[in-house]
Amino acid sequence: MKVKTLVEFIIERQSDFPYATGELTRLLSDISIAAKVVNREVNKAGLVDILGAEGSENIQGEEQQKLDVFANTQFIEALNAGGEVCGIASEELDDFIGLDGKVSRNGKYVVLIDPLDGSSNIDVNVSIGTIFSIYRRISFTGSATLEDFLQKGHEQVASGYVIYGSSTMLVYTTGHGVNGFTLDPSIGEFCLSHANITIPESGNIYSINEGNYVHFPDGVKKYIKYCQEADSPTNRPYTSRYIGSLVADFHRNMLKGGIYIYPETAKSPKGKLRLLYECNPLAFIAEQAGGKASNGFKRIMEVDPKELHQRCPLYIGSRLMVEDVEKFLEASRESAGLAQS
Ligand code: AHM
Ligand code: MG
């Protein structure tokens, strides 16, 4: 059987956009190339101690970089060279980068990226990921402005992630379903392996850092207890699975059915995850796959961003499970007399 590569697939899908000029296709292709370079480095991360850790020099006399810094540089360079984007915002950088090269300043798009997510797992050979989000600019010309990045999630043109796991996959959506591509290292290409991914409407996996239990909102505590109760008609108790890499936890739950939760906690009153780099792009994928993403009150993609690094609680995955936890949250708000409209 002939395999379909990512680039073949996105060119074929260009017709989903009636006035497409090929820029989005090139942009996605640029991201996939940078992802391959990052993948190569992630795969030899264990050799860093042998070959020299950060602060030391490699054989060409260049300083060795930490993987997250390396990934950040790779994606920014690829996007900068491509010329389709007029600005990039990265979880690794305090401020966005406006691109004002001859071609870039007329780029139609801006990209927001978490170049290597799952920082606690980077050095210990556990799956990590890259998450990206693409918007059409709203400024007219020149390099990007802050308002280009502070758009609601439902304005995304495309989003996706790369998971560097037991195999490396790129999963993306342009608002016409979700498709997944597995990197075949022998030919160096992402090949279509998971066409039209759909999230089961319910499942039996819940993913949350239970170590923070005492700091969770009451509704989340009650939902966790619900997940742990025995009830065969609803297949409970559910299974608890938490890798601590959002992409990996989300990806597993999307394929098997489940919910990922990172609520507000006493330590992180607005949640830990970033609305623009983590929550919105995965929310777009979740919805396109038939799932749901909420901040506990409303749809993630309706949240109005006020700043680049804004944090946001996240409840994401199988639709019925997200609705269940929302009911627990609502009930506990009501009983505390804090019901919000
Ligand atoms: P990071 O951007 O610093 O890597 O943080 C995001 C990560 C997610 O991948 C993961 O789901 C979560 O943080 C884990 O946090 P915790 O260790 O608090 O459970
Ligand atoms: Mg992150």
Side-chain angles (χ1 to χ4, degrees), residues 91 117-119 209 242 244-246 260 262 272-274 278:
E91 200 192 282
D117 182 68
S119 41
N209 184 344
Y242 190 73
S245 275
L246 174 60
Y260 172 97
Y262 209 113
K272 175 187 180 191
L273 302 174
R274 286 72 166 182
E278 292 160 332

Side-chain angles (χ1 to χ4, degrees), residues 296-298 326-341:
F297 286 96
K298 62 176 179 182
E326 279 180 330
K327 284 180 206 146
F328 278 92
L329 292 167
E330 179 64 28
S332 76
R333 281 194 295 263
E334 269 171 16
S335 69
L338 296 171
Q340 300 208 8
S341 57

